[in-house]
Amino acid sequence: MPAFDLPLRELEHYRPAPEEPADFDEFWLGTLKEAGQTDPVVSARPVESGLRLTETWDVTFRGFAGDPVRAWYSRPAGVREPLPAVVEFAGYGRGRGLPHERLTWVNAGYAHLLMDNRGQGDQYGCGGDTPDPHAGAPGGPGPAVRGLLTPHDYHYRRLITDAVRSVAAVRELPGVDGARVAVVGNSQGGGVALAVAGLVPDLAAALVTAPFLCGIRRALDLTDAAPYGEITAYLSVHRGAEQAAYRTLSYLEGISFARRAQAPAHFGVGLRDTVCPPSGAYAAFNRYGELADADPCKEIHAYPYNGHEGGDAVHVRRQLDWLAGVFSPGPT
């Protein structure tokens, strides 16, 4: 694929003016207050995964509106002391799959929670187990357009609330050091991880790769690849719905979440990414933490000749090394 976004020298200084509604903070405070009125964990049941070096539990926790959300919780077998935890968010259209699919973080020695995506899981991978009982508002069939016309009905309000609650849930699980919880995700998962970083003030770290829902208005002009293409396709049929859709999306803008984040952050981006254009990731990175009490440490890795796959396994190795330093800093 060709390079199509801003050149790297411009991306490194790209800081578009924030476009966020005046009640952005009020909207999310109200949403999370309502969701946080009950204890998060419903159940944690040990499961047999066929893996002798990993122990896994089938977890159910309360997410948006108290809805049950499923997750896999895994940790190294035989380790009893509290471990740092990594909460992972899956990509667009993917569910939690099977417990042996995502082993990187548990093999690195961390407790690992993989959250299911409500109402997703049918596009790739091995499926999901969490329905979305609130998906009846006007909008298209895909998650990117479910309830698009009002922020209170939009799918990502529910999914991000689930993600915030997953951090509360992992802190209640056995064998977790609640003071050392990181969030990680790629694509949709990266956008969700970034949102959680902006909404949960005491995270230990955020690892964000190729984030969806960053620089949304510009992305809709640059690409017709899904998921953004689903939004433009919907608006091509529902002429005149643009302003309502843009208003809804303004409450989900990753740059706004990034401005409020406080945790150390590690970003990755492919400069030829036509799914989640790199200008969105750089805008979020360059404004990351600007409303925090102190500047959080942050770094970004760009892969000039890669698309949505970014640095792939090379980048994961960089994440492993970086997170080890965050969780086990050297002497000061």
Side-chain angles (χ1 to χ4, degrees):
M1 73 285 297
F4 74 105
D5 206 338
L6 299 171
L8 180 58
R9 63 182 178 276
E10 294 183 29
L11 290 171
E12 290 174 339
H13 303 284
Y14 181 60
R15 294 171 59 89
E19 296 183 13
E20 59 188 46
D23 64 341
F24 181 90
D25 292 313
E26 180 182 352
F27 175 85
W28 282 106
L29 285 171
T31 296
L32 298 179
K33 181 179 180 181
E34 180 180 350
Q37 293 178 353
T38 58
D39 293 335
V41 177
V42 175
S43 65
R45 178 177 59 84
V47 297
E48 174 54 57
S49 67
L51 302 173
R52 290 186 293 175
L53 302 182
T54 301
E55 297 175 338
T56 300
W57 288 258
D58 185 350
V59 170
T60 301
F61 68 91
R62 293 183 179 90
F64 176 86
D67 298 338
V69 179
R70 306 288 290 277
W72 296 123
Y73 171 57
S74 300
R75 51 184 289 116
V79 178
R80 295 293 171 254
E81 66 265 23
L83 295 174
V86 174
V87 180
E88 184 174 4
F89 308 114
Y92 189 77
R94 186 180 187 121
R96 66 173 182 166
L98 299 174
H100 59 268
E101 288 187 76
R102 302 289 187 98
L103 297 176
T104 296
W105 299 107
V106 69
N107 279 339
Y110 304 126
H112 177 236
L113 188 79
L114 175 61
M115 187 188 85
D116 205 12
N117 286 327
R118 66 163 60 220
Q120 299 188 35
D122 298 321
Q123 295 189 21
Y124 70 107
C126 291
D129 300 293
T130 303
D132 185 0
H134 309 278
V145 288
R146 290 179 193 158
L148 179 62
L149 300 185
T150 63
H152 283 85
D153 290 337
Y154 194 37
H155 175 80
Y156 282 97
R157 178 184 180 229
R158 301 189 292 275
L159 187 66
I160 288 171
T161 301
D162 292 346
V164 170
R165 294 288 285 165
S166 74
V167 173
V170 81
R171 285 173 164 159
E172 298 295 322
L173 293 173
V176 169
D177 179 353
R180 294 188 292 169
V181 176
V183 293
V184 60
N186 177 73
S187 192
Q188 174 185 266
V192 171
L194 186 59
V196 174
L199 294 170
V200 179
D202 58 348
L203 288 175
L207 298 97
V208 176
T209 310
F212 180 46
L213 296 175
C214 288
I216 299 171
R217 292 284 291 268
R218 177 176 170 83
L220 290 172
D221 290 338
L222 285 178
T223 183
D224 59 3
Y228 288 114
E230 296 179 20
I231 298 174
T232 54
Y234 178 84
L235 294 177
S236 74
V237 174
H238 298 273
R239 300 166 182 85
E242 307 94 281
Q243 292 309 310
Y246 290 154
R247 177 177 180 271
T248 293
L249 293 167
S250 70
Y251 289 91
L252 284 304
E253 173 57 65
I255 299 169
S256 297
F257 290 121
R259 298 178 69 217
R260 292 159 171 80
Q262 302 183 47
H266 187 279
F267 280 67
V269 59
L271 297 189
R272 296 170 186 250
D273 188 345
T274 58
V275 177
C276 296
S279 53
Y282 268 94
F285 175 79
N286 290 333
R287 290 201 169 274
Y288 188 92
E290 68 180 9
L291 298 182
D293 294 334
D295 292 336
C297 67
K298 60 182 183 179
E299 61 183 64
I300 189 168
H301 296 271
Y303 301 92
Y305 296 98
N306 289 96
H308 198 51
E309 80 283 5
D312 207 0
V314 170
H315 187 67
V316 172
R317 178 54 195 267
R318 285 175 166 164
Q319 290 180 316
L320 288 166
D321 291 343
W322 181 84
L323 188 60
V326 171
F327 282 150
S328 302
T332 58

